[in-house]
Amino acid sequence: MSTTKEQNQQKTDTKPAPDLKAASDKKPAAINLIWLYIVVISIIVAAYTGRMDAVGKASFDSAKRAVELAISLIGAMALWLGIMKVAESAGLMRAVTRAIRPVMVWLFPDVPANHPAMSAIIMNMGANMLGMGNAATPMGIKAMQELDKLNPEKGTATNAMCLFLAINTSSVTILPLGVIAVRAASGSTNPGGILLPTLCATLCSTAAAIFMAKLLSRRSEKKFIQASLSTQISGETAAEEANNSQIQTEELSPPGKFGKFAAWGALALFIGAIPYTIMTGGPVGGVFESITASTAWLIPGLIIAILLGGYLCGVKVYETVTDGAKEGFQVAIRIIPFMVAIFVGIGMLRSSGALDLFTGIAGSFTKLIGMPAEVLPHALLRPLSGTGAYGYMAELIQKAPDSLEAFMSSILQGSTETTFYVLAVYFGAIGIRKTRHALPAALFSDAVGICAAVLFANLFFNMFNG
């Protein structure tokens, strides 16, 4: 008997401690529950509204659109990841990082100051600020790939990833050029009047994103038990990157005198074309119209600056671009399953009539905070569907370009982001399934952005029409 008791006691003593990580992995992430109930609510509402056939059709159509969109992204991703690789090889991204290093180190303490992730994050934020969405997405994916190299727990988002995604969905917007162009085309008397209120609203939403992401990261730090390992891996990776940069520097072969002369001459010709265009019939309709017309110069200007900069530093431009383009193709294919899931859920929700039902109920309450009922559908669509929200905004502007509804919808479009799309693309690119606090922080930022857009739209609209 005593022997049996001793054996049982020994088994009890040697029983392994509970694995906190495994226990935390069993808890579903927020995106799992949200996606599940979007689908469930859509089907239930469709059962009562008689739109079951539309919901079933939407599930197939949305899956098809998700794949088509992912395939259409291959070209843009291949191009810009290739260009980013040129900037990285030439050391241009490290130079950009040094300019605002103190702020970035405070925001992302787990990421080494000289790590390529820092410069990719900065490039993404800069593209978003200037309204270059086509370039911002590949840069953001590049940043996520670099952040994943520092990830001690593959498949689980790190604090830096969550914060980056939250900031990305609420990025400060200096020039909402696409929205200004729609307002100008619709005959608005002051198409650029949304610049300052949009900037104020995005400052609020970005501050909210940083605050909530930092707060939630502290609360979840105990669950993310590998976080302490991140610093060690970050240091090792930073050392590897430094060694790689030294190797790359040795392999660089800057051009000769003629090559440098040709490159600098080409750059001078491009810069000289700016005053030439203005003097020979460029945009003369005012400051805002000139800013809007200059959008066509932003992306080509960035391309020529990076490629010529890389060439002058000795980068083999063509070979480097093609190497980066291979990564773009692979990333575009990798995100398809994530985009299909998100698009199907959103498509079913819209087709079921659930959004219309909620709008009808909540419309009377939103008037109390200064939001016209006509703007509410746009606020609900914005985190779910970029094209749907953009189309709804354009419709409001075309109906009455100088109305409060059009003004508020324009600011709202530039103050928030398609959160679920960004989540699917960025996390899908690196296979993140456990998103931790990224979605709650991003949705909180969206809510603050919507409220700020309503506040500043009413304030500035009254000023302009007072």
Side-chain angles (χ1 to χ4, degrees):
M1 291 292 292
S2 60
T3 304
T4 304
K5 288 183 179 180
E6 291 176 358
Q7 291 176 348
N8 291 336
Q9 182 65 32
Q10 186 178 3
K11 290 180 180 180
T12 303
D13 294 339
T14 58
K15 184 178 180 180
D19 190 346
L20 296 179
K21 176 180 177 298
S24 64
D25 286 344
K26 292 180 181 179
K27 184 179 179 180
I31 185 64
N32 289 288
L33 296 177
I34 291 176
W35 185 85
L36 170 64
Y37 282 104
I38 283 178
V39 174
V40 171
I41 290 172
S42 301
I43 295 174
I44 293 175
V45 171
Y48 285 92
T49 58
R51 299 186 181 182
M52 196 66 76
D53 182 62
V55 168
K57 185 175 183 296
S59 64
F60 291 101
D61 291 342
S62 299
K64 179 181 177 181
R65 284 198 301 272
V67 175
E68 291 174 347
L69 178 58
I71 293 176
S72 67
L73 287 173
I74 291 177
M77 287 186 182
L79 171 65
W80 281 100
L81 286 179
I83 292 174
M84 290 286 287
K85 197 171 184 67
V86 171
E88 181 181 346
S89 300
L92 301 177
M93 295 176 68
R94 291 192 297 273
V96 172
T97 304
R98 284 195 293 269
I100 56 174
R101 178 181 297 176
V103 177
M104 299 303 292
V105 169
W106 176 77
L107 285 175
F108 301 95
D110 296 333
V111 182
N114 295 323
H115 196 274
M118 281 291 199
S119 48
I121 290 172
I122 294 171
M123 299 286 282
N124 169 264
M125 291 180 179
N128 277 324
M129 288 181 183
L130 297 175
M132 297 188 298
N134 291 335
T137 299
M139 293 175 183
I141 290 175
K142 176 66 175 177
M144 293 296 285
Q145 290 175 331
E146 295 296 339
L147 288 173
D148 196 46
K149 295 178 182 178
L150 304 174
N151 191 357
E153 188 177 337
K154 301 300 182 183
T156 299
T158 63
N159 289 339
M161 291 178 184
C162 294
L163 176 59
F164 172 63
L165 189 138
I167 293 177
N168 200 273
T169 59
S170 63
S171 182
V172 174
T173 303
I174 299 175
L175 297 175
L177 298 171
V179 180
I180 292 176
V182 173
R183 290 173 57 82
S186 300
S188 173
T189 57
N190 187 12
I194 65 169
L195 277 174
L196 187 55
T198 299
L199 176 61
C200 294
T202 53
L203 284 172
C204 293
S205 62
T206 301
I210 295 172
F211 168 78
M212 185 55 64
K214 291 285 187 181
L215 178 64
L216 294 178
S217 67
R218 292 175 182 175
R219 294 184 60 182
S220 63
E221 195 70 30
K222 294 180 181 179
K223 296 180 181 180
F224 197 57
I225 59 177
Q226 296 266 6
S228 60
L229 183 61
S230 177
T231 305
Q232 178 182 353
I233 294 181
S234 299
E236 295 173 356
T237 306
E240 293 176 3
E241 293 293 341
N243 293 333
N244 290 339
S245 63
Q246 292 177 359
I247 295 173
Q248 289 176 350
T249 303
E250 294 174 359
E251 294 178 349
L252 297 178
S253 54
K257 292 183 180 180
F258 179 77
K260 291 181 179 179
F261 177 79
W264 283 111
L267 188 60
L269 286 173
F270 175 79
I271 296 174
I274 298 176
Y276 172 80
T277 303
I278 295 176
M279 290 186 296
T280 57
V284 293
V287 176
F288 296 126
E289 287 75 9
S290 299
I291 293 175
T292 303
S294 66
T295 55
W297 289 69
L298 291 175
I299 290 180
L302 189 60
I303 292 175
I304 193 173
I306 292 177
L307 293 183
L308 285 178
Y311 172 71
L312 288 170
C313 291
V315 177
K316 298 176 181 177
V317 180
Y318 176 77
E319 296 177 8
T320 305
V321 168
T322 53
D323 288 341
K326 295 177 184 177
E327 298 178 12
F329 182 85
Q330 295 168 358
V331 168
I333 300 300
R334 197 181 304 138
I335 65 177
I336 288 179
F338 299 88
M339 292 184 64
V340 167
I342 293 295
F343 274 54
V344 167
I346 294 172
M348 293 176 69
L349 186 67
R350 294 181 62 186
S351 299
S352 67
L355 279 178
D356 297 334
L357 181 62
F358 181 79
T359 300
I361 297 174
S364 57
F365 297 98
T366 58
K367 292 181 180 179
L368 300 176
I369 63 171
M371 177 188 286
E374 294 82 359
V375 181
L376 180 59
H378 185 196
L380 297 176
L381 279 172
R382 189 66 178 111
L384 301 173
S385 171
T387 54
Y390 191 87
Y392 190 86
M393 175 205 68
E395 184 179 355
L396 285 179
I397 294 174
Q398 288 174 357
K399 286 182 179 179
D402 295 316
S403 65
L404 173 61
E405 292 81 4
F407 189 72
M408 186 178 296
S409 183
S410 300
I411 298 171
L412 184 64
Q413 181 70 20
S415 304
T416 53
E417 183 56 88
T418 315
T419 300
F420 288 91
Y421 168 79
V422 172
L423 188 96
V425 171
Y426 283 20
F427 281 154
I430 56 175
I432 295 293
R433 298 181 181 274
K434 190 173 179 59
T435 59
R436 296 177 69 222
H437 56 275
L439 182 58
L443 291 179
F444 177 77
S445 169
D446 284 338
V448 172
I450 291 171
C451 294
V454 172
L455 172 64
F456 290 109
N458 282 287
L459 178 63
F460 281 88
F461 186 81
N462 292 332
M463 290 174 57
F464 292 151
N465 298 275

